[in-house]
Amino acid sequence: MRVPAEVYRIADLIKTMRVRGAGRIARTAAYAMKIAALKHPGGELGEFKAYMRETAHVLGSTRPTAVSLHNALRYVLNRVERAQSLEEAVAAAVDAADSFIQSSLNAVRVIGEIGSKLIEDGDTVLTHCNSSAALAVLKTAHSSGKRIRVYATETRPKFQGLLTYRELAGSGVPVTLIPDSAVRFVMREVDKVVVGADTVAANGAVINKVGTSLIALAAHEARVRFYVATETYKFSPATILGELVTIEEREPEEVVPTDLLTRHPNLKVRNPAFDVTPPDYIDAIITERGVIPPKAAAVILLEDYGATLAEELATITLDIEDSTA
Ligand code: RUB
């Protein structure tokens, strides 16, 4: 069975960042899995499972850093793998995709409600890039009557700060755009920083748009609270066993114009899309399950994936025992 053209089109939208943001790419990938399930050309259950795995592979190969994407795909695939018939597998894929999308949207709304309680009337809040979860906190605080002001970083090289500006201004929140390099300069006027996350590691480190860790450093220096707003499906189970998060490096053309690169063939450019903020620089993580200290990320991960990990560890132990017998 061949992966349908629609799935490749959606994968391309994610890769080229026309669909972006960790939550959105996860929901879009879940939707693509549903499309694939509905468009399957018939055949055996085993073939369908292989076809869905291949679809997940195409979608999962688009952007490496946001674990939300991989967790969404795994969520749908796990349901497919458990099915006993083709009809059951198709229905399971559709149902899992729908319920992932629904619970993801709901999580953002709840994060807005919970996080807005941390924002006080009169606060000036700084945010980076364009995070639905972080903006839910700010928009909910504003709509509940708190008078807030927002500094939004431009977020070079892709200028996602303009999206943030548009979204907040559209909701009536006073927002000022600043160059990324002005963060330390304005920090003296800032009461709180709220950013999103692409991935949260088991030790509480947060991987988010490049520049986040510098903002955390400046906030720490100025004793300004630094909050991360994120759904718990952005917590990475692989990091419990020590796996590192891959940081996406994008094309140099996003940083300098192509003709400049042609004129200066020896010009070296690096364009990491994300960076890692250590837990010591994060005051709290706002999730749909409540506000947690960053170091409690492992607790959430063990709640969600503990049983699966225990099974995996048991298999590894059995393998070792077999090979030493
Ligand atoms: C987006 C980014 C966002 C997180 C969280 O990076 O870093 O802060 O993805 O967003 P990019 P959300 O533009 O490279 O995708 O809260 O919407 O999931």
Side-chain angles (χ1 to χ4, degrees):
M1 291 186 203
R2 287 182 44 183
V3 175
E6 268 107 321
V7 170
Y8 283 103
R9 266 200 293 279
I10 293 174
D12 191 56
L13 290 177
I14 296 174
K15 198 174 175 56
T16 55
M17 290 177 64
R18 275 168 290 165
V19 172
R20 46 145 303 281
R24 268 192 214 99
I25 62 178
R27 288 189 290 275
T28 307
Y31 173 73
M33 291 290 275
K34 172 177 165 174
I35 300 282
L38 291 173
K39 284 198 166 277
H40 81 95
E44 299 289 317
L45 174 62
E47 286 172 312
F48 178 74
K49 288 183 179 176
Y51 157 83
M52 289 303 285
R53 282 196 293 272
E54 182 54 22
T55 301
H57 176 72
V58 168
L59 293 160
S61 311
T62 50
R63 296 196 74 188
T65 302
V67 77
S68 52
L69 171 64
H70 305 278
N71 283 346
L73 295 170
R74 186 178 316 131
Y75 183 78
V76 179
L77 273 186
N78 281 348
R79 291 277 306 277
V80 170
E81 293 295 349
R82 287 204 298 268
Q84 303 290 327
S85 69
L86 180 62
E87 296 67 35
E88 200 192 315
V90 174
V94 172
D95 183 62
D98 284 343
S99 73
F100 179 86
I101 294 168
Q102 209 38 57
S103 66
S104 161
L105 291 170
N106 196 43
V108 174
R109 188 184 53 75
V110 175
I111 287 169
E113 280 166 15
I114 295 177
S116 68
K117 298 196 171 68
L118 298 173
I119 308 294
E120 284 160 274
D121 189 27
D123 271 354
T124 297
V125 184
L126 186 142
T127 190
H128 184 50
C129 195
N130 177 253
S131 154
S132 324
L135 294 196
V137 170
L138 303 179
K139 289 194 287 186
T140 311
H142 171 77
S143 63
S144 67
K146 291 175 183 164
R147 284 157 298 178
I148 61 167
R149 282 192 323 133
V150 174
Y151 276 120
T153 56
E154 273 181 318
T155 318
R156 282 176 183 251
K158 297 284 282 179
F159 296 99
Q160 289 94 326
L162 291 173
L163 301 173
T164 292
Y165 164 75
R166 242 178 266 147
E167 196 172 333
L168 288 177
S171 303
V173 181
V175 46
T176 307
L177 202 65
I178 55 164
D180 301 327
S181 45
V183 164
R184 189 161 176 252
F185 181 77
V186 303
M187 195 55 85
R188 67 187 85 154
E189 295 169 38
V190 172
D191 299 293
K192 276 143 203 161
V193 175
V194 183
V195 296
D198 280 80
T199 293
V200 179
N203 67 352
V206 166
I207 292 86
N208 190 48
K209 179 52 57 190
V210 70
T212 302
S213 67
L214 265 177
I215 298 173
L217 210 56
H220 189 74
E221 177 195 46
R223 295 170 179 266
V224 167
R225 293 270 158 101
F226 186 93
Y227 295 122
V228 176
T230 176
E231 306 88 309
T232 51
Y233 62 77
K234 294 177 188 162
F235 287 37
S236 163
T239 59
I240 299 183
L241 301 178
E243 205 168 287
L244 298 176
V245 177
T246 307
I247 302 292
E248 175 181 7
E249 295 242 4
R250 296 184 62 86
E251 304 72 37
E253 286 80 1
E254 288 184 353
V255 181
V256 283
T258 316
D259 61 317
L260 197 87
L261 287 168
T262 321
R263 275 189 281 121
H264 300 275
N266 294 328
L267 175 60
K268 287 200 180 71
V269 177
R270 278 192 70 183
N271 184 17
F274 301 97
D275 67 16
V276 184
T277 302
D280 292 349
Y281 293 86
I282 300 166
D283 287 286
I285 302 184
I286 306 160
T287 79
E288 75 281 10
R289 279 144 76 170
V291 179
I292 60 162
K295 296 223 166 120
V299 177
I300 299 260
L301 278 165
L302 288 172
E303 265 173 36
D304 291 354
Y305 301 97
T308 326
L309 283 170
E311 265 172 42
E312 270 175 35
L313 285 175
T315 328
I316 295 168
T317 316
L318 286 176
D319 285 351
I320 293 169
E321 279 169 4
D322 281 355
S323 62
T324 52

